[in-house]
């Protein structure tokens, strides 16, 4: 169970006219949406704003594209204010992986070419780190961090993998598969002392954490606005501080290449940047309708409630508690353990995700860590307690049957 056990269902958030919050999104009303954390959901007001920008772009592209860098620079000011950082620290990129790829493509080897990651890292990012290490002639060292590890224990595990050959540390602020924080503040301070660059994968942080860079020392930080921030998909931030940021260049060379960081990222040929421009409208919608502080409290309370009812349902079914001891828990996200036989690997977890959508009518996140399958809960303002009660009452029994069938297959462990 997380730090705060939520035993009662939080009252659903409503729009100003009394309608359910979900009416502000174009979500399929038949599908149950319990996985906001993967791709987010865009409110109608931001979709409409993006469509207006697209219409303007298509009506006069020769006027649109030369003026686009200035408009992106203006959007960066609003997005930086949301993150509570300086606009000159922020470049806009399509997603967190793209920002990380920028860092991997730009950095030079300075020591032995070693890169430190953790076993909680996002798979695509770890694969990118492995490619970089091969290019550098170094190796990737994976720090093993137990799911229940405290901040100090996790810090010690990460730093134990760092040596004199380390050229880069890649660390999640919030892990994707395991919905926990990692000690980026402690590692950042020590990495700076040792002169080792730190790249923070903060894909889930914007919107979920009020000021995600407060008190954090790092060279590079990437965060998706299209997850918890609800901006149009393909909207993310790359934050770079210190002298190394002048080594960063967009993955696409364009006419802004001679400009300083971050201006050189504002000009990227003919890409559709309307999501960047519409992003502030999504952030403003949540703030003006409920306020981000209220929204975050609701998301956390609801995720805690979902953890309790779904965990209890699995526990009643299997006799084994479904709640999970997660060190450094995350607001708005929770883990529930699945019965043995389900999601033991990433491939099995992805297959379960697709089957649940197809046969149960539920968008849910299923993950795997250390050979154990989990359901990752991630709530947003459009979710209600009824979503999680439905899953506990109607879907958990079916998952139990699927788990038994999987265990009974020939060759099953």
């Amino acid at each position: 169970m997380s730090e705060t056990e939520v035993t009662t269902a939080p009252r659903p958030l409503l729009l100003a006219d009394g309608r359910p919050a979900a009416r502000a999104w174009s979500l399929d009303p038949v599908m149950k949406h319990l996985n906001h954390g993967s791709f987010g959901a865009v409110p109608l007001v931001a979709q409409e704003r993006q469509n207006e920008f697209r219409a303007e772009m298509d009506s006069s592209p020769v006027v649109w594209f030369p003026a686009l860098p200035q408009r992106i620079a203006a959007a960066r000011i609003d997005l930086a204010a949301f993150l509570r950082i300086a606009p000159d620290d922020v470049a806009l990129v399509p997603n967190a992986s793209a920002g990380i790829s920028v860092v991997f493509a730009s950095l030079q080897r300075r020591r032995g070419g070693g890169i430190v990651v953790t076993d909680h890292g996002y798979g695509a990012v770890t694969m990118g780190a492995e490619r970089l290490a091969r290019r550098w002639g170094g190796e990737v060292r994976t720090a093993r961090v137990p799911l229940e590890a405290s901040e100090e224990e996790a810090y010690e595990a990460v730093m134990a993998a760092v040596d004199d050959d380390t050229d880069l540390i890649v660390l999640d602020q919030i892990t994707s598969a395991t919905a926990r924080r990692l000690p980026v503040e402690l590692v950042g301070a020590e990495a700076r002392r040792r002169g080792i660059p730190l790249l923070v994968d903060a894909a889930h942080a914007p919107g979920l954490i009020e000021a995600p860079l407060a008190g954090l020392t790092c060279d590079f930080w990437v965060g998706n606005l299209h997850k918890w921030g609800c901006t149009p998909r393909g909207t993310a931030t790359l934050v770079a501080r210190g002298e190394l940021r002048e080594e960063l260049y967009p993955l696409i060379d364009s006419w802004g290449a001679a400009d300083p960081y971050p201006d050189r990222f504002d000009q990227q040929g003919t890409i559709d940047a309307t999501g960047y421009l519409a992003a502030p409208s999504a952030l403003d919608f949540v703030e003006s309708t409920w306020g981000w502080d209220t929204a975050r409290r609701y998301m956390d309370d609801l995720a805690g409630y979902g953890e309790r009812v779904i965990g209890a349902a699995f526990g009643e079914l299997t006799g084994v508690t479904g709640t999970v001891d997660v060190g450094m828990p995350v607001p708005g996200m929770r883990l529930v353990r699945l019965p043995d036989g389900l999601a033991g690997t990433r491939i099995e977890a992805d297959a379960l995700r697709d089957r649940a959508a197809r046969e149960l009518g539920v968008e849910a996140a299923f993950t795997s860590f250390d050979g154990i399958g989990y359901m990752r809960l991630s709530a947003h303002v459009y979710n209600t307690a009824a979503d999680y009660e439905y899953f506990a009452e109607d879907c958990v029994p079916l998952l139990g049957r699927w788990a038994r069938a999987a265990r009974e297959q020939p060759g099953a462990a």
Side-chain angles (χ1 to χ4, degrees), residues 44-348:
L44 289 169
V45 63
Q47 295 181 41
E48 293 163 358
R49 187 68 176 127
Q50 184 177 21
N51 287 337
E52 292 171 0
F53 283 126
R54 280 179 173 153
E56 183 180 349
M57 174 179 66
D58 291 335
S59 67
S60 187
V62 175
V63 173
W64 172 268
F65 284 103
L68 187 56
Q70 290 75 28
R71 301 179 87 161
I72 292 176
R76 281 197 288 108
I77 294 174
D78 293 334
L79 300 178
F82 178 72
L83 295 173
R84 302 191 180 184
I85 57 175
D88 288 346
D89 288 343
V90 181
L92 297 183
V93 290
N95 51 52
S97 296
I100 289 170
S101 295
V102 164
V103 176
F104 287 166
S106 302
L107 280 189
Q108 302 298 315
R109 170 177 167 166
R110 289 171 169 78
R111 301 185 182 189
I115 303 173
V116 171
V117 301
T118 77
D119 53 349
H120 296 257
Y122 191 64
V125 172
T126 298
M127 287 189 287
E130 291 168 347
R131 289 192 295 272
L132 176 58
R134 288 195 296 270
R135 191 170 79 238
W136 278 351
E139 65 176 7
V140 170
R141 300 184 66 182
T142 302
R144 307 293 175 183
V145 180
L147 184 57
E148 70 278 5
S150 66
E151 181 179 34
E152 185 62 32
E153 290 167 341
Y155 165 76
E156 291 175 355
V158 172
M159 296 312 301
V162 176
D163 60 18
D164 291 341
D165 287 335
T166 302
D167 266 313
L168 180 66
I169 301 171
V170 183
L171 195 62
D172 297 74
Q173 188 165 24
I174 296 173
T175 62
S176 177
T178 50
R180 62 157 291 158
R181 292 181 294 122
L182 289 175
V184 291
E185 294 84 4
L186 294 178
V187 172
E190 179 61 17
R192 179 60 55 86
R193 189 186 71 82
R194 299 192 192 189
I196 302 172
L198 171 63
L199 166 58
V200 176
D201 181 353
H204 289 272
L208 200 57
I209 299 177
E210 180 180 2
L213 286 106
L216 172 57
T217 300
C218 65
D219 299 272
F220 315 105
W221 181 98
V222 294
N224 287 324
L225 292 166
H226 59 240
K227 288 183 182 286
W228 304 95
C230 297
T231 68
R233 294 174 192 87
T235 309
T237 53
L238 165 62
V239 177
R241 294 166 169 169
E243 60 184 19
L244 290 178
R245 74 182 192 169
E246 292 307 324
E247 297 184 11
L248 302 183
Y249 282 83
L251 297 177
I252 301 171
D253 285 325
S254 192
W255 290 101
D259 295 337
Y261 176 92
D263 298 348
R264 62 177 70 119
F265 285 81
D266 294 342
Q267 191 165 355
Q268 291 286 280
T270 56
I271 66 166
D272 183 349
T274 56
Y276 296 169
L277 305 185
S281 64
L283 303 175
D284 291 345
F285 167 73
V286 175
E287 178 60 35
S288 62
T289 306
W290 302 287
W292 273 100
D293 289 342
T294 298
R296 277 188 283 265
R297 284 194 299 270
Y298 176 78
M299 291 187 285
D300 192 39
D301 287 346
L302 186 56
Y305 178 75
E307 175 194 30
R308 185 181 70 81
V309 296
I310 295 175
F314 276 124
E316 183 177 345
L317 183 73
T318 65
V320 179
T321 179
T323 56
V324 183
D325 181 13
V326 176
M328 302 183 70
V330 177
M333 300 176 73
R334 301 290 192 279
L335 280 189
V336 175
R337 179 166 178 167
L338 295 172
D340 292 341
L342 293 180
T345 67
R346 182 189 65 81
I347 293 175
E348 292 175 1

